[in-house]
C-alpha cells in the first residue's frame, strides 16, 4: 500500500501492432486500465465511513496509411478514448476543463476520425488537405451525502466538431 497516492491495486494492458498490406500500412493500438484506491475517510476521525474509489480507462486507435507514390500518400485515423472514475481532492481531473466545485465523479468519452492526403511536390514543398470529425462527452457528478455512493448530475458537456483543412509547407 502506497500511503502517498493511496493506491491499493491497479492493472493495465497495452497492445499494438503494424501490418503492411501492399501499399497500405495498418497501425493499431489499444489499452485498458483499472486503478483502485484505498478508501478515503470523510471526517478527520478514523471511525468515519470509508468510501472506495476507482478509475477505469479504455482506448483504441487505428491508422491506415496508403502510399500511392513516393511523394503522395493518404491517411485515415480512427480512435476512441473513455475514462471514468471517482474524483478525490488529491487527484487531478481526468480530462479538462477543470471540475466544477464539489464534483466527486467524472466520466468522459472522446471519438474522432480524420482523413488527410499529402503531396510532396519537392523535398522542400509539401501540401496537405483533409477533414476531421470528433465528439466529446463529459459528465461530472457529485455524491448526494458524505456516506453515500449515490450520484447526482452536476455538469454535462457534449461537444461535436467537424472541419476541413489545407496547408502548405
Amino acid at each position: 500500500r502506497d500511503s502517498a497516492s493511496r493506491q491499493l491495486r491497479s492493472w493495465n494492458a497495452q497492445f499494438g501492432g503494424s501490418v503492411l498490406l501492399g501499399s497500405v500500412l495498418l497501425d493499431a493500438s489499444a489499452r485498458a486500465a483499472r486503478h483502485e484506491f484505498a478508501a478515503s475517510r470523510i471526517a478527520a476521525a478514523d471511525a468515519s465511513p470509508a468510501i472506495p474509489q476507482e478509475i477505469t480507462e479504455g482506448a483504441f486507435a487505428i491508422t491506415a496509411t496508403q502510399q500511392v507514390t513516393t511523394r503522395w500518400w493518404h491517411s485515415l485515423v480512427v480512435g476512441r478514448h473513455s475514462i471514468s472514475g471517482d474524483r478525490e481532492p488529491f487527484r487531478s481531473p481526468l480530462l479538462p476543463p477543470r471540475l466544477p466545485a464539489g464534483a466527486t465523479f467524472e466520466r468522459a468519452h472522446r471519438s474522432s476520425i480524420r482523413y488527410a492526403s499529402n503531396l510532396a511536390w519537392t523535398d522542400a514543398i509539401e501540401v496537405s488537405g483533409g477533414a476531421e470529425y470528433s465528439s466529446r462527452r463529459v459528465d461530472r457528478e457529485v455524491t448526494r451525502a458524505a456516506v453515500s455512493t449515490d450520484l447526482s448530475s452536476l455538469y454535462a458537456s457534449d461537444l461535436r466538431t467537424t472541419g476541413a483543412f489545407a496547408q502548405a509547407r
Side-chain angles (χ1 to χ4, degrees):
R1 175 179 166 152
D2 179 356
S3 62
S5 68
R6 298 189 214 173
Q7 190 167 326
L8 285 179
R9 61 186 153 195
S10 69
W11 64 264
N12 67 51
Q14 299 183 33
F15 305 95
S18 298
V19 64
L20 184 60
L21 304 169
S23 65
V24 177
L25 175 64
L26 291 176
D27 289 305
S29 63
R31 73 175 184 268
R34 181 182 174 106
H35 308 285
E36 295 178 17
F37 294 85
S40 65
R41 299 292 177 184
I42 300 302
D46 284 336
S48 66
I51 297 176
Q53 294 170 9
E54 63 186 44
I55 300 170
T56 57
E57 180 178 16
F60 78 88
I62 299 171
T63 301
T65 305
Q66 179 188 24
Q67 191 77 38
V68 181
T69 68
T70 57
R71 295 190 176 272
W72 183 29
W73 64 97
H74 307 286
S75 61
L76 179 67
V77 181
V78 178
R80 174 138 173 104
H81 180 234
S82 298
I83 188 165
S84 65
D86 296 293
R87 167 70 168 95
E88 270 295 299
F90 68 85
R91 194 171 59 73
S92 62
L94 302 173
L95 288 177
R98 295 284 178 203
L99 285 171
T104 57
F105 187 88
E106 58 190 330
R107 182 179 305 112
H109 308 282
R110 183 175 191 278
S111 301
S112 65
I113 184 167
R114 179 180 192 262
Y115 166 79
S117 184
N118 300 285
L119 178 62
W121 288 73
T122 68
D123 290 341
I125 300 172
E126 183 179 312
V127 293
S128 304
E132 180 172 2
Y133 169 81
S134 68
S135 67
R136 184 185 79 172
R137 170 84 183 174
V138 179
D139 294 296
R140 307 262 167 63
E141 299 168 333
V142 63
T143 52
R144 293 183 188 170
V147 296
S148 172
T149 57
D150 292 335
L151 297 169
S152 293
S153 180
L154 182 64
Y155 169 87
S157 170
D158 203 0
L159 175 67
R160 298 177 197 286
T161 61
T162 304
F165 64 91
Q167 66 182 21
R169 179 182 65 86

